[in-house]
Amino acid sequence: MSEIKGSVFWITGASSGIGEATALAAAKQGARLVLSARRKEELERVKKATGLAEEEVLVLPLDMEKPAEIQPAVDAVLAKFGRIDILFNNAGVSQRSSVLDTRMEVFERIMTLNYLAVVALTKAVLPVMIRQNSGHLLVTSSISGKLGSPMRAGYCGSKHALHGFFDALRSEVYDHNIRVLVVCPGYIKTDVSINALASDGGKHGKMDDNQNQGISAEVCAEKILQGIRRNRDEIYIGGKEVMGVYLKRFFPGLLNRIVRKQAPK
Ligand SMILES: NC(=O)c1ccc[n+]([C@@H]2O[C@H](COP(=O)([O-])OP(=O)(O)OC[C@H]3O[C@@H](n4cnc5c(N)ncnc54)[C@H](OP(=O)(O)O)[C@@H]3O)[C@@H](O)[C@H]2O)c1
C-alpha cells in the first residue's frame, strides 16, 4: 500500500480535468507533486492552486506524443526529488467519429498518446521504482476500456490495450513491491469531449450531455486516492454507466443490444 503523504506523485495530464483535480487532492493529503502536460501556463495555474511550497512541486511540461522528451523528464524529476513514488499516467485524448469516416492518422495518434506513450513513460520510470523497491503505477483507462461504445472505436481500442499491458505488468513487478492500479472512469465532467478528436483529427469541440451530467472531477480524484490507499487493482468511477462492466461480464448479449441503440443511424 502506498502512502500519499510525503510521496513524490507524478501526474500527466495535470493541466485540466481529472489530472488537475487529483493534483489538488493529493497536495491536500501531503504529496509532493510533479505536474506534466503540454500547456505550461495551465500547469503553473494548478501549481499555484495547490498552495505547495516551491521545493514541493515541479512543473514539468511534457508532450507525451514526443518520445524523445520522456527520459529527460524522468531525469528532471530525479534531479529535483531523487525518487518517484506514484506515477499517474493520465494524459489522454478521446474520439467522436465513426470507423468508416475516421482517417488512419487519427487512430495512430490516439494509440500513440493513450497507449504507446504510457508504455514508454512507465518503462522509463520502472527502473527507478525497482531500485527503490517500492512504487505505485496508475493509469487512466475508461469504462470504454472494458466495453465498446460507438463513435469512439479508436479510443476504446487504446484503452482496452492498457488493460492487457498493466495486468501483465502487475504480475511482473509485484515482488518488487510495486503496485498497479487501473482507473476506469465513466462520465466525468471535464473537457474530454471538447478535446476529443473528430474524423479528420480536428477537435470535436462540444461538451457532450453525458459528460455534462457526469460526476465531478473532484469526486473522481477522491476515489482515485482511495484506490491507491486501499491498494486496489482496478476501480470503476461514475454513475449507472458503470453497470456496463457487469453487463458485459454476465449478460454480454444484452449489453450489445443496449450499445447498438446508442449508435447513430
Ligand atoms: N472525463 C471523462 O468522462 C473520462 C472518462 C474516462 C476516461 N477519461 C480519461 O481521463 C484522462 C483525463 O482526461 P480528462 O477527462 O481530465 O480530460 P481533459 O480535461 O481533456 O484532460 C486531458 C489532459 O491530457 C493532457 N494531454 C493531452 N494531450 C497531451 C500530450 N500530447 N502530452 C501530454 N499531455 C497531454 C491535457 O493537457 P495539455 O492539453 O495541456 O497537454 C490534459 O491535461 C484521459 O486519459 C481520458 O481518456 C476521461
Side-chain angles (χ1 to χ4, degrees):
M1 186 178 74
S2 290
E3 263 303 324
I4 290 164
K5 191 173 165 54
S7 65
V8 174
F9 196 140
W10 185 359
I11 302 172
T12 70
S15 61
S16 67
I18 295 171
E20 173 178 354
T22 305
L24 297 177
K28 268 201 195 121
Q29 295 189 18
R32 293 173 286 167
L33 293 179
V34 181
L35 304 174
S36 290
R38 291 166 302 179
R39 290 169 298 163
K40 186 165 189 287
E41 58 296 349
E42 290 302 310
L43 295 174
E44 292 290 352
R45 178 185 60 74
V46 176
K47 172 185 168 181
K48 202 165 163 210
T50 64
L52 292 179
E54 205 56 47
E55 64 273 16
E56 295 171 317
V57 56
L58 174 65
V59 164
L60 184 59
L62 172 61
D63 185 342
M64 294 285 289
E65 288 173 72
K66 296 186 178 151
E69 291 188 12
I70 285 180
Q71 189 57 49
V74 174
D75 296 342
V77 177
L78 293 179
K80 168 110 179 168
F81 292 118
R83 55 185 300 117
I84 301 166
D85 297 298
I86 303 172
L87 170 65
F88 185 18
N89 279 296
N90 168 71
V93 69
S94 193
Q95 175 204 354
R96 296 291 184 274
S97 54
S98 72
V99 171
L100 184 65
D101 289 343
T102 304
R103 288 167 62 163
M104 199 56 211
E105 302 87 83
V106 175
F107 290 115
E108 285 167 0
R109 190 161 167 221
I110 292 171
M111 207 62 188
T112 300
L113 176 59
N114 291 2
Y115 178 66
L116 289 173
V118 172
V119 172
L121 182 56
T122 302
K123 244 182 92 57
V125 167
L126 209 48
V128 179
M129 292 186 169
I130 288 174
R131 265 198 310 276
Q132 292 169 179
N133 196 38
S134 71
H136 218 125
L137 294 165
L138 273 67
V139 65
T140 311
S141 172
S142 171
I143 297 298
S144 297
K146 302 294 290 183
L147 48 92
S149 32
M151 303 301 279
R152 60 203 81 184
Y155 179 72
C156 289
S158 70
K159 295 296 189 182
H160 273 69
L162 292 171
H163 287 263
F165 180 82
F166 280 95
D167 286 350
L169 180 64
R170 184 182 293 111
S171 64
E172 290 182 19
V173 298
Y174 186 84
D175 287 343
H176 294 286
N177 199 28
I178 299 168
R179 299 294 171 255
V180 173
L181 167 61
V182 181
V183 176
C184 304
Y187 299 126
I188 316 295
K189 193 171 177 180
T190 70
D191 288 347
V192 72
S193 65
I194 295 171
N195 293 328
L197 300 182
S199 57
D200 61 356
K203 279 193 183 188
H204 174 64
K206 284 182 228 143
M207 174 64 90
D208 287 358
D209 287 345
N210 284 332
Q211 255 71 40
N212 203 23
Q213 289 155 18
I215 67 168
S216 72
E218 289 71 26
V219 169
C220 180
E222 287 304 331
K223 290 188 185 296
I224 290 167
L225 297 188
Q226 190 180 76
I228 297 173
R229 286 194 305 272
R230 295 186 178 171
N231 209 8
R232 303 278 301 276
D233 291 338
E234 187 168 292
I235 52 174
Y236 313 122
I237 305 171
K240 64 179 186 324
E241 67 278 11
V242 165
M243 285 305 296
V245 176
Y246 302 99
L247 285 180
K248 167 92 181 177
R249 195 176 302 163
F250 299 114
F251 305 102
L254 173 61
L255 178 71
N256 288 343
R257 285 198 292 280
I258 294 170
V259 169
R260 205 183 302 145
K261 287 196 183 128
Q262 294 169 355
K265 301 296 167 222

